[in-house]
Amino acid sequence: GAGVSQSPSNKVTEKGKDVELRCDPISGHTALYWYRQSLGQGLEFLIYFQGNSAPDKSGLPSDRFSAERTGGSVSTLTIQRTQQEDSAVYLCASSPDLGASPYEQYFGPGTRLTVT
Amino acid sequence: EDQVTQSPEALRLQEGESSSLNCSYTVSGLRGLFWYRQDPGKGPEFLFTLYSAGEEKEKERLKATLTKKESFLHITAPKPEDSATYLCAVPILTGGGNKLTFGTGTQLKVEL
């Protein structure tokens, strides 16, 4: 079946511009996660959605970062007034997460963001 | 603070030369441990979940084991196509979900 998809695959933007990154999770997965992967930092958690709600936004690095999820499906991560330190690969993952037991998360291919 | 440490950072093997990758963790109340494989330019690909000490899982040339302090990913008779970065992660309960804390990975290169 279809996996997690993300778009665009690559995005080059000028410092100060806003960008939107999109994630389409696996159909039926209620949980959606955003992570960031940068050189030397590894994979870092950004935000978690259960349905359309975001119970944990603790990983968002600043108030320039926001995310939403609609219809319990597609999610958009928005970065306003981009800075060079925002350059990274942004990864989305989805999971059934139906109860207390942790389920595996399935990752998309990522969006590589370069801020010039 | 929950921490995950992987070693070695990089590993070079000859084809057929078996070895093990290590993932040690300090987590209050381990609820599971995940192994992922990541190829360059791609997202992590799920390999295994281990839930309790003593558990083992196998897939082709890979076997993952779990103790109370660490996990090992054993690679038996590796092939060049096993070259990738291997990541381990522990789930941390949050608001009904499980955010993953990752190690920095082991970059494996298998040569002919």
Side-chain angles (χ1 to χ4, degrees), chain B residues 55-108:
Chain B
E55 191 174 358
E56 298 183 352
K57 292 234 175 121
E58 283 189 69
K59 180 180 178 179
E60 296 181 0
R61 294 176 293 282
L62 301 177
K63 182 168 85 171
T65 61
L66 182 65
T67 72
K68 289 185 179 178
K69 293 183 179 179
E70 58 195 345
S71 178
F72 292 94
L73 186 65
H74 307 278
I75 304 177
T76 302
K79 298 182 177 182
E81 53 262 42
D82 295 323
S83 298
T85 296
Y86 291 86
L87 299 162
C88 68
V90 295
I92 308 297
L93 189 61
T94 175
N98 295 277
K99 58 185 176 184
L100 297 180
T101 296
F102 281 88
T104 50
T106 293
Q107 194 170 359
L108 174 66

Side-chain angles (χ1 to χ4, degrees), chain A residues 33 35 37 40-45 48 50 55-56 58 91 97 99-110 112, chain B residues 31-34 36 38 41-46 48-49 51 87 91 93-104:
Chain A
Y33 301 81
Y35 294 87
Q37 188 171 32
Q41 293 284 88
L43 265 153
E44 306 172 285
F45 166 80
Y48 154 62
Q50 180 61 250
D56 190 343
S58 63
L91 290 157
D97 259 0
S101 292
Y103 284 82
E104 51 268 22
Q105 296 179 19
Y106 295 92
F107 282 82
R112 179 175 295 278
Chain B
R31 300 173 59 251
L33 186 139
F34 297 102
Y36 285 86
Q38 188 173 27
K42 297 190 175 181
E45 174 191 346
F46 170 75
F48 302 109
T49 308
Y51 285 109
L87 299 162
L93 189 61
T94 175
N98 295 277
K99 58 185 176 184
L100 297 180
T101 296
F102 281 88
T104 50

